[in-house]
Amino acid sequence: MLNRVCQILSILSFLMVTSVIGGGYMGYKYVTSEQFQTKMMNKVLGNVQGLMPKILDKSLPEMTGPTIPEFKQPKI
């Protein structure tokens, strides 16, 4: 009886290890794929484009000041 239980636990352990390794491999392949990278870039650029007009309106001045006169060093 104990031998049978150990065999069943061994089989279950093997199935769990292979599923974790297979899931890790598939996850790695998905994260490094072009499809995933394109999807993430579209999300990031969508968020950045939504924020850009608000940031630009706050940081760009209506009018700039006068130019700085050229600094001339005195002759010695």
Side-chain angles (χ1 to χ4, degrees):
M1 180 66 181
L2 182 61
N3 190 21
R4 187 75 169 157
V5 171
C6 288
Q7 288 175 348
I8 292 172
L9 289 176
S10 176
I11 292 170
L12 290 175
S13 174
F14 174 76
L15 291 175
M16 286 175 39
V17 167
T18 54
S19 66
V20 167
I21 290 172
Y25 177 75
M26 294 305 288
Y28 172 77
K29 292 303 274 183
Y30 177 69
V31 168
T32 57
S33 70
E34 276 296 318
Q35 177 185 4
F36 180 76
Q37 291 176 359
T38 304
K39 184 177 178 182
M40 288 297 113
M41 280 300 261
N42 287 339
K43 282 187 177 184
V44 168
L45 290 177
N47 290 338
V48 169
Q49 287 175 352
L51 294 174
M52 286 306 288
K54 296 175 188 174
I55 293 172
L56 289 177
D57 290 341
K58 291 179 185 176
S59 64
L60 292 177
E62 295 288 327
M63 184 174 132
T64 61
T67 60
I68 299 173
E70 186 177 329
F71 181 72
K72 294 183 182 179
Q73 293 184 352
K75 295 183 181 181
I76 300 177

